[in-house]
């Protein structure tokens, strides 16, 4: 392999934070990239919404016609960094149909249209890489698809959304309310103007779908992922979590469950959960991401780093670009979509987890017994109970707060219990129901 | 790709902890492996030193003639798990020359003979994989060679030897002496009967050579790695480290340094160092391994998990086996050795680090000033000094201990300073000289 090989033509669709950094790296590291690929990498064009001479790149590289750019004859690899599902999906399909390898950071798209895109890549015998779609710079897709290809993954649990982790870290550190922490995150640029995709867990759910698909060789889409956001997590929850030796994190969890008959099913879910302080995910703070993988032979592995941002995401994109380019030069293809296992996806109702339930109750004898009875009736076993008196604004006693931590129970049994508790006269309000992850049963 | 593809023949050389686990996985996960590879994996033979019917595998698979097994016509992939450099090197060369892909966990061999082996693989157009040679189950080689292929690695710092980390963790937790902690580790099976390769840093140096080669696209052998073991680390050092807010870890460090003229060189070194408690490596305890990678665009990444043991190492081996087998089925090759950069390797004398120096001195006026003067003369800037009185066995004052922490200085300047200190009348003994890593200048 020498640098005299035919150049590899590159099209970049999208010139935001990530796209600009990708273009910068291609220029700044041209010699290194050529040596690693075995041929020079040449930027043929950049797809943008607005062609102007203030974009920091030569204006003749810019075009608004992304479809034409994706199909151009002198383009070998298309890097899609436009963002939303459309027009990205269409542009990627165009590229694949024209025999281009594709690198994308588009998690929403990959969590929705994997099948269609993987099939198009398969038909064209080209690479479709998306390491940057999950956890930014942190290599997760490649370790799961390659390094662990000879092992059996049992569980993937990750903090994969930087915005919500920033907000929850701030609430934990300062005792702030959710609203205040969100406002702070927005002011500092860690949350978007419309934070819905992050705070309601849609972004994390897309990543969970991608991780579950890869870890369990089963096609999982974002619609298959159970999802709860962080908007109802309160300062009181953090106070209770602290008393229990826990932090609260938005987790994406992908799990393989085996029943007594040896039948397997998988679960993919996103929700805020209490995590004990000695668990490696409990101390992943701020905008950082981390993914813990548990596999039969490997045991527990953790991957940690920056999960978002222009430069870290560009690092993951460029790793994919170099691999796709090397395959163009050497011949060969990276791993294809692997969906042979086709394991059924379990509804959340059947998933056993531990729970934390906080409620306000009347402060009189027999209340705790009445509350405990509702758990017992549904065979939800209680691990720990805390009760504390409350005072109103005038300093007068006004009932008590009970926090119950359960052993493992199904979501269905717990939901029934909570409904029954809410109907009890002595229960004034159910304040929160959160899961507890990362502990023994 | 269907399972009707021609089977992939496998030979396993060595049936120790790792080999047995590899054989177990091949049998227990046959259907999954076949689906992932696109063809069944068939075990053709196992090379052992002793053929007997008590090895837990069918006796007709066993052979002592590893050379013949490595060359057998129906073998596509040879997995080398025999251990020492020879006869492993010869068997791997035989396999490569006969067109077999090779997977090895042999760090000593890969740190010594990479060039020869890589060239043989290149000539035969086959894969040579060695993920298991560094940090057991933790994917490190593949992230560095592939995920970060588009980025520029600045630094790799890792805890890559489980035995020494177990010993140092015990010293930190219990205040034990090195000798007692080693005896304990031996009794529990964490240290071998002859622990030299671990405690003197040879194992870590081999891994540092492999990591540096890959991270910096430069051929680095174990002989190029500066090496100090942990045998001189004392309980007093741990006490001082605690007082300074640090732990002590055996680190393997690979670094790219750029001078004022923009010239680059690299450093690869292994030594025990003080690490501040808020650094992610400080809390990696027991037999666990972790590798921190700092890259220009990706920022800081950490990979954490089990660095040794039969099952974790087998997980890494099997990942390589599946990738090599897939390449056999699909066509194509994994990444080749990349040594285009050929950066010069800097001698340790030129490497600037921070230092911790502990010495016993006479307890009289002017001593601290005399000590400080020796640092100043060689432009080694002092960051922190601690002095405490000492008492002898009878409770009588018997001098003082001075601990100095410096700013960054070259090894050469520091060595000169220490020699000069040792010559001072007021200095009774130099107790230890350790480096401080993971802090600002």
């Amino acid at each position: 392999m020498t640098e005299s090989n035919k150049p590899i033509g590159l099209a970049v669709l999208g010139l935001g934070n990530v796209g600009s950094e990708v273009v910068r790296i291609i220029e700044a590291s041209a010699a290194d990239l050529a040596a690693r690929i075995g041929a020079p990498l040449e930027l043929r064009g950049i797809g943008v919404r607005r062609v102007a001479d203030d974009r920091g790149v030569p204006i003749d590289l810019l075009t608004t016609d992304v479809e034409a750019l994706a199909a151009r004859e002198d383009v070998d690899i298309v890097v899609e960094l436009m963002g939303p599902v459309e027009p990205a999906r269409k542009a990627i399909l165009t590229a694949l149909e024209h025999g281009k390898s594709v690198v994308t950071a588009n998690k929403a798209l990959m969590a929705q249209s994997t099948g269609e895109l993987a099939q198009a890549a398969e038909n064209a015998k080209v690479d479709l890489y998306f390491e940057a779609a999950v956890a930014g710079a942190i290599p997760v897709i490649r370790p799961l698809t390659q390094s662990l290809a000879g092992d059996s993954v049992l569980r993937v649990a990750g903090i994969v959304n930087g915005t919500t982790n920033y907000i929850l870290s701030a609430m934990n550190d300062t005792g702030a309310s959710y609203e205040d922490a969100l406002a702070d995150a927005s002011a500092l640029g860690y949350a978007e103007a419309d934070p819905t995709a992050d705070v309601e867990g849609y972004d994390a759910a897309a990543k969970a779908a991608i991780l579950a698909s890869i870890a369990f060789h089963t096609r999982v889409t974002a619609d298959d992922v159970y999802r709860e956001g962080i908007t109802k997590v309160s300062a009181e929850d953090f106070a209770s979590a602290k008393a229990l030796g826990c932090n609260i994190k938005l987790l994406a969890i992908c799990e393989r469950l085996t029943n007594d008959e040896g039948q397997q099913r998988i679960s993919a879910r996103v929700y805020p959960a209490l995590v004990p302080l000695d668990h490696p995910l409990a101390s992943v703070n701020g905008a950082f991401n981390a993914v813990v993988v548990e596999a039969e032979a490997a045991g527990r592995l953790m991957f940690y780093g920056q999960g978002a941002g222009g430069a870290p995401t560009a690092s993951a994109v460029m790793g994919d670009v170099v691999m796709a380019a090397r395959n163009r030069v050497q011949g060969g293809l990276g791993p294809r979509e692997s969906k042979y296992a086709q394991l059924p996806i379990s509804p959340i109702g059947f998933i056993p987890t531990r729970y934390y339930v906080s409620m306000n109750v009347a402060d009189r004898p027999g209340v705790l017994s009445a509350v405990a009875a509702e758990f017992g009736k549904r065979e939800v076993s209680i691990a720990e109970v805390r009760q504390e008196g409350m005072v109103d604004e005038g300093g007068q006693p006004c009932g008590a707060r009970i926090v119950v931590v359960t052993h493992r129970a199904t979501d269905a049994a717990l939901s029934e219990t909570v409904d029954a508790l809410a109907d009890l006269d002595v229960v004034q309000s159910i304040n929160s129901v959160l899961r507890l992850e990362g502990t023994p049963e």
Side-chain angles (χ1 to χ4, degrees), chain A:
Chain A
M1 223 87 54
T2 68
E3 290 188 35
S4 62
N5 275 324
K6 192 169 147 287
I8 298 291
L10 204 71
V12 175
L13 313 185
L15 193 59
N17 282 343
V18 182
S20 306
E21 185 64 18
V22 163
V23 169
R24 192 195 66 73
I25 292 174
I26 290 169
E27 285 169 15
S29 304
D32 275 318
L33 295 171
R36 294 174 196 177
I37 292 166
L41 209 54
E42 287 185 4
L43 186 59
R44 307 292 192 206
I46 303 170
V48 290
R49 256 180 272 173
R50 182 179 62 87
V51 171
D53 57 7
D54 62 350
R55 306 295 304 262
V57 292
I59 192 163
D60 58 331
L61 281 176
L62 301 179
T63 172
T64 57
D65 191 349
V66 294
E67 286 292 314
L69 178 57
R72 245 173 81 165
E73 204 165 325
D74 60 351
V75 166
D76 300 289
I77 300 174
V78 172
V79 180
E80 185 280 307
L81 304 167
M82 295 188 288
V85 168
E86 294 293 359
R89 181 182 145 279
K90 188 148 174 289
I92 290 177
L93 283 173
T94 298
L96 294 172
E97 282 157 11
H98 285 79
K100 322 299 185 195
S101 296
V102 169
V103 174
T104 176
N106 197 323
K107 51 223 138 197
L109 175 60
M110 288 310 297
Q112 177 192 299
S113 307
T114 314
E116 180 184 30
L117 302 179
Q119 190 58 53
E122 186 84 38
N123 294 346
K125 301 203 187 317
V126 293
D127 284 322
L128 169 63
Y129 286 134
F130 47 96
E131 180 67 77
V134 179
I138 311 170
V140 177
I141 307 290
R142 198 161 270 116
L144 280 171
T145 49
Q146 301 191 28
S147 309
L148 289 163
D151 205 335
S152 291
V153 176
L154 302 168
R155 198 167 199 263
V156 181
I159 294 171
V160 294
N161 180 274
T163 302
T164 49
N165 202 45
Y166 182 88
I167 293 169
L168 294 175
S169 298
M171 292 175 72
N172 185 56
D173 292 349
T174 67
S177 69
Y178 167 73
E179 291 71 19
D180 287 351
L182 171 63
D184 188 41
S186 301
L188 291 167
Y190 286 113
E192 293 186 38
D194 176 359
T196 309
D198 292 318
V199 300
E200 295 293 358
Y202 289 100
D203 175 81
K207 292 163 178 170
I210 296 171
L211 290 172
S213 301
I214 289 168
F216 304 124
H217 304 273
T218 294
R219 196 176 285 166
V220 181
T221 70
D223 292 339
D224 298 320
V225 179
Y226 175 80
R227 179 190 51 73
E228 286 176 27
I230 65 162
T231 58
K232 288 175 195 157
V233 178
S234 67
E236 288 74 31
D237 291 331
F238 271 99
S240 297
K242 264 187 196 165
L244 294 163
C246 290
N247 199 343
I248 299 176
K249 294 294 184 187
L250 183 70
L251 299 184
I253 297 173
C254 312
E255 210 168 10
R256 181 157 55 88
L257 304 142
T258 307
N259 69 10
D260 295 342
E261 285 90 54
Q263 290 161 331
Q264 299 194 334
R265 59 210 160 98
I266 60 174
S267 158
R269 50 196 204 264
V270 168
Y271 43 63
L274 278 72
V275 180
L277 292 178
D278 61 3
H279 190 280
L281 291 176
S283 49
V284 173
N285 288 318
F288 279 84
N289 279 197
V291 177
V292 171
V293 178
E294 287 169 38
E296 258 173 39
R300 185 192 269 179
L301 302 170
M302 184 161 94
F303 305 87
Y304 171 92
Q306 293 186 62
T313 308
S315 170
V317 167
M318 287 306 299
D320 283 351
V321 166
V322 169
M323 295 316 296
R326 262 193 213 165
N327 285 343
R328 293 254 157 187
V329 172
Q330 296 184 359
L333 283 174
R336 321 280 68 208
E337 184 192 21
S338 176
K339 58 178 199 314
Y340 72 89
Q342 297 184 9
L343 296 175
I345 297 160
S346 184
I348 189 74
F350 294 105
I351 304 301
T353 60
R354 299 185 65 182
Y355 289 88
Y356 147 96
V357 182
S358 162
M359 66 201 98
N360 288 356
V361 297
D363 195 2
R364 59 175 195 249
V367 170
L368 186 54
S369 155
V371 163
E374 295 302 329
F375 284 90
K377 279 182 210 168
R378 290 157 192 93
E379 301 195 339
V380 179
S381 171
I382 293 176
E384 192 172 344
V385 176
R386 288 171 172 266
Q387 176 165 1
E388 55 188 38
M390 297 191 298
V391 291
D392 65 15
E393 285 167 11
Q396 297 300 308
C398 66
R401 173 169 295 140
I402 292 180
V403 169
V404 175
V405 176
T406 75
H407 288 296
R408 274 154 85 93
T410 62
D411 187 274
L414 200 279
S415 296
E416 267 186 42
T417 306
V418 170
D419 289 347
L421 288 169
D423 285 344
L424 289 184
D425 284 347
V426 294
V427 172
Q428 295 162 353
S429 63
I430 304 287
N431 304 319
S432 11
V433 179
L434 290 169
R435 290 173 186 80
L436 173 62
E437 294 280 351
T439 67
E441 318 239 317

